[in-house]
Amino acid sequence: MSRRIRNERLDSRTGRLKLVPRSEPYWRSIQQGRAIGYRRLSRGKAGTWIARDYDPMRTPARLQKSLGNADDLLDADGTGTFSFAQAQASAFEWFTTLT
């Protein structure tokens, strides 16, 4: 597994809650062609984590997977509600199934 990536906006609840709700996720690259995204659709609701993989040699070239809820409102449990670090670990697990 690659090292854990840090991001001020996504690492903490307070950082994520300051982000403007929008349909396009806030993406953070964690490996070449791979990223983790945070989508926040409305205030007062928890955001969701998304993993994205891009491989131009594959059809379709871009794959995405919803990982689960962010720990914006509830504490992370590692199964349905994830911290940024736990979401990264879950994304890396998914990436290994693609190769």
Coordinates of all heavy atoms in Angstrom, one line a residue:
M1 N 0.8 -1.2 0.0 CA 0.0 0.0 0.0 C 0.9 1.2 0.0 O 1.9 1.3 0.6 CB -0.9 0.0 1.2 CG -1.8 1.2 1.3 SD -3.0 1.0 2.6 CE -2.8 2.5 3.4
S2 N 0.4 2.2 -0.7 CA 1.2 3.5 -0.7 C 1.0 4.3 0.6 O 0.2 4.0 1.4 CB 0.7 4.4 -1.9 OG 0.9 3.7 -3.1
R3 N 1.9 5.3 0.7 CA 1.8 6.0 1.9 C 0.5 6.9 2.0 O 0.0 7.2 0.9 CB 3.0 6.9 2.1 CG 3.1 8.0 1.0 CD 4.4 8.9 1.2 NE 4.4 9.9 0.3 CZ 3.9 11.1 0.4 NH1 3.2 11.4 1.5 NH2 4.0 12.0 -0.5
R4 N 0.1 7.2 3.1 CA -1.1 8.0 3.3 C -0.9 9.4 2.9 O 0.1 10.1 3.2 CB -1.5 8.0 4.8 CG -2.8 8.7 5.0 CD -3.3 8.4 6.5 NE -4.3 9.3 6.8 CZ -4.2 10.5 7.4 NH1 -3.0 10.9 7.9 NH2 -5.2 11.3 7.6
I5 N -1.8 10.0 2.1 CA -1.8 11.3 1.6 C -2.5 12.2 2.5 O -3.5 11.9 3.1 CB -2.4 11.4 0.2 CG1 -1.8 10.4 -0.8 CG2 -2.4 12.8 -0.4 CD1 -0.4 10.7 -1.1
R6 N -1.9 13.4 2.7 CA -2.6 14.4 3.6 C -3.2 15.5 2.8 O -2.7 15.8 1.7 CB -1.5 15.0 4.6 CG -0.7 14.0 5.3 CD -1.1 13.8 6.7 NE -1.6 15.0 7.4 CZ -2.4 14.9 8.5 NH1 -2.6 13.7 9.0 NH2 -2.8 15.9 9.1
N7 N -4.3 16.1 3.2 CA -4.9 17.2 2.5 C -5.7 17.9 3.6 O -6.6 17.4 4.2 CB -5.9 16.6 1.4 CG -6.5 17.7 0.6 OD1 -7.3 18.4 1.1 ND2 -6.1 17.8 -0.6
E8 N -5.4 19.2 3.7 CA -6.0 20.0 4.8 C -7.5 20.1 4.6 O -8.2 20.1 5.6 CB -5.4 21.5 4.7 CG -4.0 21.5 5.3 CD -3.5 23.0 5.3 OE1 -4.3 23.9 5.2 OE2 -2.3 23.1 5.4
R9 N -8.0 20.2 3.4 CA -9.5 20.4 3.2 C -10.2 19.1 3.5 O -11.4 19.1 3.9 CB -9.8 20.9 1.8 CG -9.2 22.2 1.5 CD -9.7 22.8 0.2 NE -9.6 21.8 -0.9 CZ -10.1 22.0 -2.1 NH1 -10.8 23.1 -2.3 NH2 -10.0 21.1 -3.0
L10 N -9.6 17.9 3.2 CA -10.3 16.7 3.3 C -10.0 15.9 4.6 O -10.7 15.0 5.0 CB -10.0 15.8 2.1 CG -10.4 16.4 0.8 CD1 -10.0 15.4 -0.4 CD2 -11.9 16.7 0.7
D11 N -8.9 16.2 5.2 CA -8.4 15.4 6.4 C -9.3 15.5 7.6 O -9.5 14.6 8.4 CB -7.0 15.9 6.9 CG -5.9 14.9 6.4 OD1 -6.2 13.8 6.1 OD2 -4.8 15.4 6.4
S12 N -9.9 16.7 7.8 CA -10.7 16.9 9.1 C -12.2 17.2 8.8 O -12.5 17.7 7.7 CB -10.1 18.0 9.9 OG -10.3 19.2 9.2
R13 N -13.0 16.9 9.7 CA -14.4 17.3 9.6 C -14.6 18.8 9.4 O -15.4 19.2 8.5 CB -15.2 16.9 10.9 CG -15.4 15.5 11.1 CD -16.1 15.3 12.4 NE -16.3 13.9 12.7 CZ -16.9 13.3 13.7 NH1 -17.3 14.1 14.7 NH2 -17.0 12.0 13.9
T14 N -13.9 19.6 10.2 CA -14.1 21.0 10.0 C -13.6 21.5 8.6 O -14.3 22.4 8.1 CB -13.3 21.8 11.1 OG1 -11.9 21.4 11.1 CG2 -13.9 21.5 12.5
G15 N -12.6 20.9 8.1 CA -12.1 21.3 6.8 C -13.2 20.9 5.7 O -13.5 21.7 4.8
R16 N -13.8 19.7 5.8 CA -14.8 19.3 4.9 C -16.1 20.1 5.0 O -16.7 20.4 4.0 CB -15.0 17.8 5.0 CG -13.9 16.9 4.6 CD -14.3 15.5 4.6 NE -14.8 15.0 5.8 CZ -14.0 14.4 6.8 NH1 -12.7 14.2 6.6 NH2 -14.6 13.9 7.9
L17 N -16.4 20.4 6.2 CA -17.7 21.2 6.4 C -17.6 22.6 5.9 O -18.6 23.2 5.6 CB -18.1 21.2 7.9 CG -18.5 19.8 8.4 CD1 -18.8 19.9 9.9 CD2 -19.7 19.3 7.7
K18 N -16.4 23.1 5.6 CA -16.2 24.4 5.0 C -16.4 24.4 3.5 O -16.5 25.5 2.9 CB -14.9 25.0 5.4 CG -14.7 25.4 6.9 CD -13.3 25.9 7.1 CE -13.1 26.1 8.6 NZ -11.7 26.6 8.9
L19 N -16.3 23.2 2.9 CA -16.4 23.1 1.5 C -17.8 23.4 1.0 O -18.8 23.0 1.7 CB -16.0 21.7 1.0 CG -14.5 21.3 1.3 CD1 -14.3 19.9 0.9 CD2 -13.6 22.2 0.6
V20 N -17.9 24.0 -0.1 CA -19.2 24.3 -0.7 C -19.8 23.1 -1.3 O -19.2 22.3 -2.0 CB -19.0 25.4 -1.9 CG1 -20.4 25.7 -2.6 CG2 -18.4 26.7 -1.3
P21 N -21.1 22.8 -0.9 CA -21.8 21.6 -1.5 C -21.9 21.7 -3.0 O -22.2 22.8 -3.6 CB -23.2 21.6 -0.9 CG -23.0 22.4 0.4 CD -22.0 23.4 0.1
R22 N -21.6 20.6 -3.7 CA -21.6 20.6 -5.2 C -21.7 19.2 -5.7 O -21.4 18.3 -4.9 CB -20.4 21.3 -5.8 CG -19.1 20.7 -5.5 CD -17.9 21.5 -6.1 NE -16.7 20.6 -6.1 CZ -15.6 21.1 -6.6 NH1 -15.4 22.3 -7.0 NH2 -14.5 20.3 -6.6
S23 N -22.2 19.0 -6.9 CA -22.3 17.6 -7.4 C -21.0 17.0 -7.8 O -20.8 15.8 -7.7 CB -23.3 17.6 -8.6 OG -22.8 18.5 -9.6
E24 N -20.0 17.8 -8.3 CA -18.7 17.3 -8.7 C -17.9 17.1 -7.4 O -17.7 18.1 -6.6 CB -18.0 18.3 -9.6 CG -16.6 17.9 -10.0 CD -16.4 16.6 -10.7 OE1 -17.4 16.2 -11.4 OE2 -15.4 16.0 -10.7
P25 N -17.3 16.0 -7.2 CA -16.5 15.7 -6.0 C -15.2 16.6 -5.9 O -14.7 17.1 -7.0 CB -16.1 14.3 -6.1 CG -17.1 13.7 -7.0 CD -17.4 14.7 -8.0
Y26 N -14.7 16.8 -4.7 CA -13.4 17.4 -4.5 C -12.4 16.3 -4.6 O -12.4 15.4 -3.8 CB -13.3 18.1 -3.2 CG -14.2 19.4 -3.0 CD1 -15.5 19.3 -2.6 CD2 -13.7 20.6 -3.3 CE1 -16.3 20.4 -2.5 CE2 -14.4 21.7 -3.2 CZ -15.8 21.6 -2.8 OH -16.5 22.8 -2.7
W27 N -11.6 16.3 -5.7 CA -10.7 15.2 -5.9 C -9.3 15.5 -5.4 O -8.8 16.6 -5.4 CB -10.5 14.9 -7.4 CG -11.8 14.4 -8.0 CD1 -12.7 15.1 -8.9 CD2 -12.3 13.1 -7.9 NE1 -13.7 14.3 -9.2 CE2 -13.5 13.0 -8.6 CE3 -11.9 11.9 -7.2 CZ2 -14.3 11.9 -8.7 CZ3 -12.7 10.8 -7.3 CH2 -13.9 10.8 -8.0
R28 N -8.6 14.4 -4.9 CA -7.2 14.4 -4.4 C -6.5 13.2 -5.0 O -6.9 12.1 -4.8 CB -7.2 14.4 -2.9 CG -5.8 14.3 -2.3 CD -4.9 15.5 -2.8 NE -3.7 15.6 -2.0 CZ -2.5 15.2 -2.4 NH1 -2.4 14.6 -3.6 NH2 -1.5 15.3 -1.7
S29 N -5.5 13.5 -5.8 CA -4.8 12.4 -6.4 C -4.0 11.7 -5.3 O -3.4 12.3 -4.5 CB -3.8 12.9 -7.5 OG -3.0 11.9 -8.0
I30 N -4.0 10.3 -5.3 CA -3.3 9.5 -4.3 C -2.3 8.6 -5.0 O -1.4 8.1 -4.3 CB -4.2 8.8 -3.4 CG1 -5.2 7.9 -4.2 CG2 -5.0 9.7 -2.5 CD1 -6.1 7.0 -3.3
Q31 N -2.4 8.4 -6.3 CA -1.4 7.7 -7.1 C -1.6 8.1 -8.5 O -2.6 8.7 -8.9 CB -1.6 6.2 -7.0 CG -1.1 5.5 -5.8 CD -1.3 3.9 -5.9 OE1 -2.2 3.5 -6.6 NE2 -0.5 3.2 -5.2
Q32 N -0.7 7.8 -9.4 CA -0.8 8.2 -10.8 C -2.1 7.5 -11.4 O -2.2 6.2 -11.3 CB 0.4 7.8 -11.6 CG 0.3 8.3 -13.0 CD 1.6 8.1 -13.8 OE1 2.6 7.9 -13.2 NE2 1.5 8.2 -15.1
G33 N -3.0 8.2 -11.9 CA -4.2 7.7 -12.4 C -5.3 7.3 -11.4 O -6.3 6.8 -11.8
R34 N -5.0 7.6 -10.1 CA -5.9 7.2 -9.1 C -6.2 8.4 -8.1 O -5.3 9.1 -7.8 CB -5.4 6.0 -8.3 CG -5.3 4.8 -9.2 CD -4.7 3.6 -8.6 NE -4.9 2.4 -9.4 CZ -4.4 1.3 -9.2 NH1 -3.6 1.1 -8.1 NH2 -4.6 0.3 -10.0
A35 N -7.4 8.5 -7.7 CA -7.8 9.6 -6.9 C -8.9 9.2 -5.9 O -9.6 8.2 -6.1 CB -8.2 10.8 -7.7
I36 N -9.0 10.0 -4.9 CA -10.1 9.8 -3.9 C -10.9 11.2 -3.9 O -10.3 12.2 -4.0 CB -9.6 9.5 -2.5 CG1 -10.8 9.1 -1.6 CG2 -8.8 10.6 -1.9 CD1 -10.4 8.4 -0.3
G37 N -12.2 11.0 -3.9 CA -13.0 12.2 -4.0 C -14.0 12.3 -2.8 O -14.3 11.3 -2.2
Y38 N -14.3 13.5 -2.5 CA -15.3 13.8 -1.4 C -16.4 14.6 -2.1 O -16.2 15.7 -2.7 CB -14.7 14.6 -0.3 CG -15.6 15.1 0.7 CD1 -16.2 14.3 1.7 CD2 -16.0 16.5 0.7 CE1 -17.1 14.7 2.6 CE2 -16.9 16.9 1.7 CZ -17.4 16.1 2.6 OH -18.3 16.5 3.5
R39 N -17.7 14.1 -2.0 CA -18.8 14.8 -2.5 C -19.7 15.2 -1.4 O -20.1 14.4 -0.6 CB -19.6 13.9 -3.5 CG -20.8 14.5 -4.0 CD -21.6 13.6 -5.0 NE -20.9 13.5 -6.2 CZ -20.7 12.3 -6.8 NH1 -21.3 11.2 -6.3 NH2 -20.1 12.2 -7.9
R40 N -20.1 16.5 -1.4 CA -21.0 17.0 -0.4 C -22.1 17.7 -1.2 O -21.9 18.7 -1.9 CB -20.2 18.0 0.4 CG -21.1 18.6 1.6 CD -20.2 19.0 2.7 NE -21.0 19.5 3.8 CZ -21.0 20.7 4.2 NH1 -20.2 21.6 3.7 NH2 -21.9 21.1 5.1
L41 N -23.3 17.1 -1.1 CA -24.4 17.6 -1.9 C -25.2 18.7 -1.2 O -25.8 19.6 -1.8 CB -25.3 16.5 -2.3 CG -24.7 15.5 -3.3 CD1 -25.6 14.3 -3.5 CD2 -24.3 16.2 -4.5
S42 N -25.4 18.6 0.2 CA -26.2 19.6 0.9 C -25.7 19.8 2.3 O -25.1 18.9 2.9 CB -27.6 19.3 0.9 OG -27.9 18.1 1.6
R43 N -25.9 20.9 2.8 CA -25.5 21.2 4.2 C -26.4 20.4 5.2 O -27.5 20.1 4.9 CB -25.6 22.7 4.5 CG -24.7 23.5 3.7 CD -24.2 24.7 4.4 NE -23.4 25.5 3.5 CZ -22.0 25.4 3.5 NH1 -21.4 24.5 4.2 NH2 -21.3 26.2 2.7
G44 N -25.8 19.9 6.3 CA -26.6 19.2 7.2 C -26.6 17.7 7.0 O -27.1 16.9 7.8
K45 N -25.9 17.3 5.9 CA -25.8 15.8 5.6 C -24.4 15.5 5.4 O -23.6 16.3 5.0 CB -26.6 15.5 4.3 CG -28.1 15.7 4.4 CD -28.8 15.2 3.2 CE -30.3 15.3 3.3 NZ -31.0 14.8 2.2
A46 N -24.1 14.2 5.7 CA -22.7 13.7 5.6 C -22.4 13.6 4.1 O -23.2 13.3 3.3 CB -22.6 12.4 6.3
G47 N -21.1 13.9 3.8 CA -20.6 13.7 2.5 C -20.3 12.2 2.2 O -20.4 11.4 3.1
T48 N -19.9 11.9 1.0 CA -19.5 10.6 0.6 C -18.1 10.5 0.0 O -17.7 11.5 -0.6 CB -20.5 10.0 -0.4 OG1 -20.6 10.8 -1.5 CG2 -21.9 9.8 0.2
W49 N -17.4 9.4 0.2 CA -16.1 9.2 -0.4 C -16.3 8.4 -1.7 O -17.1 7.4 -1.7 CB -15.2 8.4 0.6 CG -14.9 9.2 1.8 CD1 -15.3 8.8 3.1 CD2 -14.1 10.3 2.0 NE1 -14.8 9.7 4.0 CE2 -14.1 10.6 3.3 CE3 -13.4 11.1 1.1 CZ2 -13.3 11.7 3.8 CZ3 -12.7 12.2 1.6 CH2 -12.6 12.5 2.9
I50 N -15.5 8.7 -2.7 CA -15.5 8.1 -4.0 C -14.1 7.8 -4.4 O -13.2 8.6 -4.2 CB -16.2 8.9 -5.0 CG1 -17.6 9.3 -4.6 CG2 -16.2 8.3 -6.4 CD1 -17.8 10.7 -4.5
A51 N -13.8 6.6 -4.9 CA -12.5 6.3 -5.5 C -12.6 6.3 -7.0 O -13.6 6.0 -7.6 CB -12.1 4.9 -5.0
R52 N -11.5 6.8 -7.7 CA -11.5 6.9 -9.1 C -10.2 6.3 -9.7 O -9.2 6.6 -9.1 CB -11.6 8.3 -9.6 CG -11.6 8.5 -11.1 CD -11.8 10.0 -11.4 NE -10.6 10.8 -11.1 CZ -10.5 12.1 -11.1 NH1 -11.6 12.8 -11.5 NH2 -9.4 12.7 -10.8
D53 N -10.4 5.5 -10.7 CA -9.2 4.9 -11.3 C -9.2 5.2 -12.8 O -10.3 5.1 -13.4 CB -9.2 3.4 -11.1 CG -8.0 2.7 -11.7 OD1 -6.9 2.8 -11.2 OD2 -8.1 2.1 -12.8
Y54 N -8.1 5.6 -13.4 CA -8.0 5.9 -14.8 C -6.9 5.0 -15.5 O -5.8 5.1 -15.0 CB -7.7 7.3 -15.1 CG -7.5 7.7 -16.5 CD1 -8.6 7.7 -17.4 CD2 -6.3 7.9 -17.0 CE1 -8.4 8.0 -18.7 CE2 -6.1 8.2 -18.4 CZ -7.2 8.2 -19.2 OH -7.0 8.5 -20.5
D55 N -7.3 4.2 -16.5 CA -6.3 3.4 -17.2 C -6.7 3.5 -18.7 O -7.7 3.0 -19.1 CB -6.4 2.0 -16.8 CG -5.4 1.1 -17.5 OD1 -4.7 1.6 -18.4 OD2 -5.2 -0.1 -17.1
P56 N -5.9 4.3 -19.5 CA -6.3 4.5 -20.9 C -6.3 3.2 -21.7 O -6.8 3.2 -22.8 CB -5.2 5.5 -21.4 CG -4.1 5.3 -20.5 CD -4.7 4.9 -19.1
M57 N -5.7 2.1 -21.2 CA -5.6 0.9 -22.0 C -6.8 0.0 -21.7 O -6.9 -1.1 -22.2 CB -4.3 0.1 -21.6 CG -3.1 0.9 -21.8 SD -2.9 1.5 -23.5 CE -2.5 -0.1 -24.3
R58 N -7.7 0.5 -20.9 CA -8.9 -0.3 -20.5 C -10.2 0.4 -21.0 O -10.2 1.6 -21.2 CB -9.0 -0.3 -18.9 CG -10.2 -1.1 -18.4 CD -10.2 -1.0 -16.9 NE -10.3 0.4 -16.4 CZ -9.7 0.8 -15.3 NH1 -8.9 0.0 -14.6 NH2 -9.8 2.1 -15.0
T59 N -11.2 -0.4 -21.3 CA -12.5 0.1 -21.7 C -13.5 -0.3 -20.6 O -13.7 -1.5 -20.4 CB -12.9 -0.4 -23.1 OG1 -11.9 -0.1 -24.0 CG2 -14.2 0.2 -23.5
P60 N -14.2 0.6 -20.0 CA -14.0 2.0 -20.0 C -12.7 2.5 -19.3 O -12.3 1.8 -18.4 CB -15.2 2.6 -19.3 CG -15.6 1.5 -18.3 CD -15.2 0.2 -19.0
A61 N -12.2 3.5 -19.7 CA -10.9 4.0 -19.2 C -11.0 4.5 -17.7 O -10.1 4.4 -17.0 CB -10.3 5.1 -20.1
R62 N -12.1 5.1 -17.4 CA -12.3 5.6 -16.0 C -13.4 4.8 -15.3 O -14.5 4.6 -15.8 CB -12.8 7.1 -16.2 CG -12.9 7.8 -14.8 CD -13.0 9.2 -15.0 NE -11.8 9.6 -15.7 CZ -11.5 10.9 -16.1 NH1 -12.3 11.8 -15.8 NH2 -10.4 11.1 -16.7
L63 N -13.0 4.4 -14.1 CA -13.9 3.7 -13.2 C -14.0 4.4 -11.9 O -13.0 5.0 -11.4 CB -13.4 2.3 -12.9 CG -13.3 1.3 -14.1 CD1 -12.6 0.0 -13.7 CD2 -14.6 1.1 -14.8
Q64 N -15.2 4.4 -11.3 CA -15.4 5.1 -10.0 C -16.2 4.1 -9.1 O -17.0 3.3 -9.6 CB -16.2 6.3 -10.1 CG -15.5 7.5 -10.8 CD -16.3 8.8 -10.8 OE1 -17.4 8.9 -10.2 NE2 -15.7 9.8 -11.5
K65 N -15.9 4.2 -7.8 CA -16.6 3.4 -6.8 C -17.0 4.2 -5.6 O -16.1 4.9 -5.1 CB -15.8 2.2 -6.4 CG -16.5 1.3 -5.4 CD -15.7 0.2 -5.0 CE -16.5 -0.6 -4.0 NZ -15.8 -1.6 -3.2
S66 N -18.2 4.2 -5.2 CA -18.6 4.8 -3.9 C -18.1 4.0 -2.8 O -18.3 2.8 -2.7 CB -20.1 5.0 -3.9 OG -20.5 5.6 -2.7
L67 N -17.3 4.6 -1.9 CA -16.7 3.9 -0.8 C -17.6 3.9 0.5 O -17.6 3.0 1.3 CB -15.4 4.5 -0.4 CG -14.4 4.5 -1.6 CD1 -13.1 5.3 -1.2 CD2 -14.0 3.1 -2.0
G68 N -18.3 5.0 0.7 CA -19.2 5.1 1.9 C -19.3 6.5 2.4 O -18.8 7.4 1.7
N69 N -19.9 6.7 3.5 CA -20.1 8.0 4.1 C -18.9 8.6 4.7 O -18.1 7.8 5.2 CB -21.3 8.0 5.1 CG -22.6 7.8 4.5 OD1 -22.9 8.2 3.4 ND2 -23.4 7.0 5.1
A70 N -18.7 9.9 4.7 CA -17.6 10.5 5.4 C -18.0 10.7 6.9 O -19.2 10.7 7.2 CB -17.3 11.9 4.8
D71 N -17.0 10.8 7.7 CA -17.3 11.0 9.2 C -17.6 12.4 9.5 O -17.1 12.9 10.5 CB -16.1 10.4 10.0 CG -14.8 11.1 9.8 OD1 -14.7 11.8 8.8 OD2 -14.0 11.0 10.6
D72 N -18.4 13.1 8.7 CA -18.8 14.5 9.0 C -19.7 14.6 10.2 O -19.5 15.5 11.0 CB -19.5 15.1 7.8 CG -18.6 15.1 6.5 OD1 -17.4 15.0 6.7 OD2 -19.2 15.2 5.4
L73 N -20.6 13.7 10.4 CA -21.6 13.8 11.4 C -21.5 12.7 12.5 O -21.8 12.9 13.6 CB -23.0 13.8 10.8 CG -23.3 14.8 9.8 CD1 -24.7 14.6 9.2 CD2 -23.2 16.2 10.3
L74 N -21.1 11.5 12.0 CA -20.9 10.3 12.9 C -19.4 10.0 13.0 O -18.6 10.2 12.0 CB -21.7 9.1 12.4 CG -23.2 9.3 12.2 CD1 -23.8 8.1 11.5 CD2 -23.8 9.5 13.6
D75 N -19.0 9.3 14.1 CA -17.6 8.9 14.2 C -17.4 7.8 13.2 O -18.3 7.0 12.9 CB -17.3 8.4 15.6 CG -17.2 9.5 16.6 OD1 -17.0 10.7 16.2 OD2 -17.5 9.3 17.8
A76 N -16.2 7.7 12.6 CA -15.8 6.7 11.6 C -15.8 5.3 12.3 O -15.3 5.1 13.4 CB -14.4 7.0 11.1
D77 N -16.4 4.3 11.6 CA -16.4 3.0 12.1 C -15.6 2.0 11.1 O -15.4 0.9 11.4 CB -17.8 2.5 12.3 CG -18.7 2.5 11.0 OD1 -18.1 2.6 9.9 OD2 -19.9 2.3 11.2
G78 N -15.2 2.5 10.0 CA -14.4 1.7 9.1 C -15.2 0.8 8.2 O -14.6 0.0 7.4
T79 N -16.5 0.7 8.3 CA -17.3 -0.1 7.5 C -18.3 0.6 6.6 O -18.4 0.4 5.5 CB -18.1 -1.2 8.4 OG1 -18.9 -0.5 9.3 CG2 -17.2 -2.1 9.1
G80 N -19.0 1.6 7.2 CA -19.9 2.4 6.4 C -19.6 3.9 6.5 O -20.1 4.6 5.6
T81 N -18.9 4.2 7.5 CA -18.6 5.6 7.8 C -17.0 5.7 7.9 O -16.5 5.0 8.7 CB -19.2 6.2 9.0 OG1 -20.6 6.0 8.9 CG2 -18.9 7.7 9.2
F82 N -16.4 6.5 7.0 CA -14.9 6.5 6.9 C -14.3 7.8 7.2 O -14.9 8.9 6.8 CB -14.5 6.1 5.5 CG -14.9 4.7 5.1 CD1 -16.1 4.5 4.4 CD2 -14.2 3.6 5.5 CE1 -16.5 3.2 4.0 CE2 -14.5 2.3 5.1 CZ -15.7 2.1 4.4
S83 N -13.2 7.8 7.8 CA -12.3 9.0 7.9 C -11.6 9.1 6.6 O -11.6 8.2 5.8 CB -11.3 8.9 9.1 OG -10.4 7.9 8.8
F84 N -10.9 10.2 6.4 CA -10.1 10.3 5.1 C -9.1 9.2 5.0 O -8.9 8.6 3.9 CB -9.4 11.7 5.1 CG -8.7 12.0 3.8 CD1 -9.2 11.9 2.6 CD2 -7.4 12.5 3.9 CE1 -8.6 12.2 1.4 CE2 -6.7 12.8 2.7 CZ -7.3 12.6 1.5
A85 N -8.4 8.9 6.1 CA -7.4 7.8 6.1 C -8.0 6.4 5.8 O -7.5 5.6 5.0 CB -6.6 7.8 7.4
Q86 N -9.2 6.2 6.4 CA -9.9 4.9 6.2 C -10.4 4.8 4.7 O -10.4 3.8 4.1 CB -11.0 4.7 7.2 CG -10.6 4.5 8.6 CD -11.7 4.6 9.6 OE1 -12.7 5.3 9.4 NE2 -11.5 3.8 10.7
A87 N -10.9 6.0 4.2 CA -11.3 6.0 2.8 C -10.2 5.7 1.9 O -10.4 5.0 0.9 CB -12.0 7.3 2.5
Q88 N -9.0 6.2 2.2 CA -7.8 5.9 1.3 C -7.5 4.4 1.4 O -7.2 3.8 0.3 CB -6.6 6.7 1.8 CG -6.6 8.2 1.5 CD -5.4 8.9 1.9 OE1 -4.3 8.6 1.4 NE2 -5.5 9.8 2.9
A89 N -7.5 3.9 2.5 CA -7.2 2.4 2.7 C -8.3 1.6 1.9 O -7.9 0.6 1.2 CB -7.2 2.0 4.1
S90 N -9.5 2.0 2.0 CA -10.6 1.3 1.2 C -10.4 1.4 -0.3 O -10.6 0.5 -1.1 CB -11.9 1.8 1.6 OG -13.0 1.2 1.0
A91 N -10.0 2.6 -0.7 CA -9.7 2.9 -2.1 C -8.5 2.0 -2.6 O -8.6 1.4 -3.7 CB -9.4 4.3 -2.4
F92 N -7.5 1.9 -1.8 CA -6.3 1.1 -2.2 C -6.7 -0.4 -2.3 O -6.2 -1.1 -3.2 CB -5.1 1.3 -1.3 CG -4.4 2.6 -1.5 CD1 -4.3 3.5 -0.5 CD2 -3.8 2.8 -2.7 CE1 -3.6 4.7 -0.6 CE2 -3.1 4.0 -2.9 CZ -3.0 4.9 -1.9
E93 N -7.6 -0.8 -1.4 CA -8.1 -2.2 -1.5 C -8.8 -2.4 -2.8 O -8.6 -3.5 -3.5 CB -9.0 -2.5 -0.3 CG -8.3 -2.7 1.0 CD -9.4 -3.0 2.1 OE1 -10.4 -3.6 1.8 OE2 -9.1 -2.6 3.2
W94 N -9.7 -1.5 -3.2 CA -10.4 -1.6 -4.5 C -9.4 -1.6 -5.6 O -9.6 -2.3 -6.6 CB -11.4 -0.5 -4.6 CG -12.2 -0.5 -5.8 CD1 -13.0 -1.5 -6.3 CD2 -12.2 0.5 -6.8 NE1 -13.5 -1.1 -7.5 CE2 -13.0 0.1 -7.9 CE3 -11.6 1.8 -6.9 CZ2 -13.3 0.9 -9.0 CZ3 -11.8 2.6 -8.1 CH2 -12.7 2.1 -9.1
F95 N -8.4 -0.7 -5.6 CA -7.5 -0.6 -6.7 C -6.8 -1.9 -6.9 O -6.5 -2.3 -8.1 CB -6.4 0.5 -6.4 CG -7.0 1.9 -6.4 CD1 -6.3 2.8 -5.6 CD2 -8.1 2.3 -7.1 CE1 -6.8 4.1 -5.5 CE2 -8.6 3.6 -7.0 CZ -7.9 4.5 -6.2
T96 N -6.5 -2.7 -5.9 CA -5.8 -4.0 -6.1 C -6.7 -5.0 -6.8 O -6.2 -5.9 -7.4 CB -5.3 -4.6 -4.7 OG1 -6.5 -4.8 -3.9 CG2 -4.4 -3.7 -4.0
T97 N -8.0 -4.8 -6.7 CA -8.9 -5.8 -7.4 C -8.9 -5.4 -8.9 O -9.4 -6.3 -9.7 CB -10.3 -5.7 -6.9 OG1 -10.9 -4.4 -7.2 CG2 -10.3 -6.0 -5.4
L98 N -8.4 -4.3 -9.3 CA -8.5 -3.9 -10.7 C -7.3 -4.3 -11.6 O -7.4 -4.4 -12.8 CB -8.6 -2.3 -10.8 CG -9.8 -1.7 -10.1 CD1 -9.7 -0.2 -10.2 CD2 -11.1 -2.2 -10.8
T99 N -6.2 -4.7 -10.9 CA -5.0 -5.0 -11.6 C -4.9 -6.5 -11.9 O -5.6 -7.3 -11.4 CB -3.7 -4.6 -10.9 OG1 -3.8 -5.1 -9.6 CG2 -3.6 -3.1 -10.9

